[in-house]
Amino acid sequence: EVQLVESGGGLVKPGGSLRLSCAASGFTLGGYSMIWVRQAPGKRLEWVSSISSTSGYKYYAASVRGRFTISRDNAENSLYLQMNSLRDEDTAVYFCARGSGPRPVPTGDWFDPWGQGTRVTVSS
Amino acid sequence: QSVLTQPPSASGTPGQRVTISCSGSGSNIGSNTVNWYRQLPGTAPKLLIYTNSQRPSGVPDRFSGSKSATSASLAISGLQSDDEADYYCATWDDSLSGWVFGGGTKLTVL
């Protein structure tokens, strides 16, 4: 079964750091682009970051650029999101999702499946 | 404020056909393909339509998507009670160099 499982969320103070992980099973992660999307309580989906299958491209939303870093370890079948200098507005459920294949550019991609999400709460 | 504009709510009675719109601009919908996701409360989003009008395996043909210029639409025919969910459109934005999502439309089956 193709599955994504996020972990690493929790409660952190403003200015703190967290590292989210997304473990893939049932498929070879290295064959796919990946994405992180978050959803604040009661709010819409918000794209956070994307990475190509070989890490050839990495993109970030303006709201997290310079603070978050996306990475992947295809040998470990895992995706990561290092989050530094966390702010109250980063509080959300963070989802990882699999792209449609080894696309060299993000245009034309789509995302399926999605993990169940991991909750990040930034509060003093 | 979302880059892609969706109506916040939509409704219909069982058996009806409803349409959800997604309005963008030349740098996003006008230049790239549109995907639709469905999200039940407290759960992860699920792909419903990709590349404007394609259905993943397992998605019934009651769901259809279309795109014209800088707008896209999701149509649901033969509305069922378990179609109640939040529906999001999404596409790549060339100007922002990022993925953009609509604000979401909450569908209620009356």
Side-chain angles (χ1 to χ4, degrees):
Chain A
E1 180 192 3
V2 173
Q3 194 173 14
L4 296 169
V5 178
E6 301 94 336
S7 61
L11 174 63
V12 61
K13 288 182 168 53
S17 298
L18 277 178
R19 188 194 196 206
L20 304 184
S21 298
C22 171
S25 60
F27 69 99
T28 302
L29 187 74
Y32 297 88
S33 57
M34 297 292 292
I35 191 174
W36 286 99
V37 172
R38 67 185 180 184
Q39 188 171 37
K43 301 296 185 182
R44 65 178 181 89
L45 300 173
E46 179 190 14
W47 169 73
V48 174
S49 184
S50 298
I51 187 169
S52 64
S53 59
T54 59
S55 302
Y57 74 69
K58 299 178 184 179
Y59 291 96
Y60 299 92
S63 58
V64 307
R65 194 173 297 131
R67 300 187 298 123
F68 291 12
T69 302
I70 192 170
S71 63
R72 61 194 297 158
D73 186 335
N74 290 339
E76 294 292 324
N77 246 27
S78 291
L79 173 74
Y80 305 102
L81 186 67
Q82 177 67 42
M83 305 187 298
N84 298 331
S85 303
L86 283 161
R87 305 168 180 168
D88 291 351
E89 54 266 34
D90 296 318
T91 293
V93 174
Y94 285 72
F95 299 99
C96 64
R98 187 186 74 173
S100 61
R103 291 177 176 271
V105 293
T107 55
D109 211 348
W110 62 87
F111 300 97
D112 179 61
W114 296 56
Q116 85 291 346
T118 186
R119 186 173 300 275
V120 172
T121 303
V122 183
S123 174
S124 54
Chain B
Q1 192 83 5
S2 302
V3 172
L4 303 181
T5 302
Q6 295 180 237
S9 63
S11 63
T13 56
Q16 266 191 333
R17 182 178 188 270
V18 297
T19 301
I20 297 172
S21 62
C22 175
S23 178
S25 67
S27 65
N28 43 66
I29 294 179
S31 305
N32 296 292
T33 56
V34 177
N35 306 316
W36 290 88
Y37 300 91
R38 164 180 161 148
Q39 186 180 34
L40 295 170
T43 69
K46 185 173 171 61
L47 180 68
L48 192 63
I49 297 287
Y50 67 97
T51 313
N52 304 327
S53 59
Q54 302 303 302
R55 282 186 309 276
S57 61
V59 173
D61 59 7
R62 300 188 298 109
F63 295 88
S64 62
S66 63
K67 182 188 122 170
S68 178
T70 58
S71 292
S73 293
L74 173 71
I76 308 172
S77 61
L79 204 59
Q80 300 177 0
S81 57
D82 57 4
D83 292 334
E84 285 202 341
D86 293 325
Y87 292 83
Y88 292 90
C89 58
T91 187
W92 180 260
D93 190 296
D94 293 336
S95 295
L96 297 175
S97 291
W99 289 95
V100 289
F101 286 85
T105 298
K106 185 176 185 63
L107 176 63
T108 301
V109 181
L110 302 169

